[in-house]
Amino acid sequence: MVRTIRPVKLEDVAMVSEIEQTSFPDPWDRAIFEDLASHGGTVKTPSGESVVMRVVEEDGKVTGYVVWQQAGKGPVGTVLNIAIRRDCRRRGQGRLLMAYTVDAMRRSGLRICSLEARESNTAARLLYESLGMTPAGRRPGYYGDEDAIIYTLVL
Ligand SMILES: CC(C)(COP(=O)(O)OP(=O)(O)OC[C@H]1O[C@@H](n2cnc3c(N)ncnc32)[C@H](O)[C@@H]1OP(=O)(O)O)[C@@H](O)C(=O)NCCC(=O)NCCS
């Protein structure tokens, strides 16, 4: 089995969208992934932020992805999205993508990795905690029907 992490390409978008639709009650629009893919996996916003997307593939098939954001000069990188195909979960790919993301943030000179998780999302919360992230606060009603727990990691 060979696992690779690489920038998203346009031909990945169908699988990425399928994973997104089957992973979240409020999935991202496919156009967001298309935009990232058509810019080589990194989109720079007019305000100087970068949004970066990487996919993980196993034996040549896309099995998950991560999207993060980093400000031009600020110290905080934020993980915006991470998902692994349902039938590929619990085999270490989420941890692999998160470890890759944390490493990439550190190499970019960021000082803090931050993200939000639904309070009830035990799988994600245990993944983040297994990487040393700690709960730093709560955003009441962030998902409408549920609070978000904010996690941070000092890089
Ligand atoms: C969260 C998610 C990305 C984890 O990906 P994964 O590849 O299954 O996770 P891993 O196999 O790398 O698991 C790493 C650790 O996370 C924890 N974990 C992951 N899934 C878990 C589950 N279902 N129950 C309990 N702990 C879990 C465990 O501590 C696990 O370590 P272990 O297997 O050695 O016990 C995946 O469940 C997913 O795509 N969920 C839907 C999308 C989502 O909720 N994204 C996060 C938004 S905040």
Side-chain angles (χ1 to χ4, degrees), residues 24 82-84 89-92 94-95 121 123 126-128:
F24 296 104
I82 179 168
I84 301 297
R89 288 183 191 163
R90 215 61 205 270
R91 290 201 278 115
R95 183 179 279 138
N121 194 344
L126 288 172
L127 165 63
Y128 305 144

Side-chain angles (χ1 to χ4, degrees), residues 18-57:
E18 192 182 317
I19 297 171
E20 176 78 8
Q21 298 285 335
T22 52
S23 294
F24 296 104
D26 46 359
W28 282 14
D29 198 279
R30 181 188 178 108
I32 299 173
F33 300 120
E34 281 170 349
D35 188 32
L36 282 154
S38 62
H39 290 87
T42 303
V43 170
K44 290 209 190 297
T45 69
S47 53
E49 292 174 325
S50 300
V51 180
V52 183
M53 179 168 181
R54 297 289 179 260
V55 297
V56 57
E57 57 176 32

Side-chain angles (χ1 to χ4, degrees), residues 40-81:
T42 303
V43 170
K44 290 209 190 297
T45 69
S47 53
E49 292 174 325
S50 300
V51 180
V52 183
M53 179 168 181
R54 297 289 179 260
V55 297
V56 57
E57 57 176 32
E58 198 172 85
D59 295 332
K61 294 202 169 88
V62 170
T63 49
Y65 51 89
V66 62
V67 182
W68 74 88
Q69 182 176 38
Q70 50 196 68
K73 291 189 184 128
V76 182
T78 307
V79 179
L80 302 176
N81 197 344

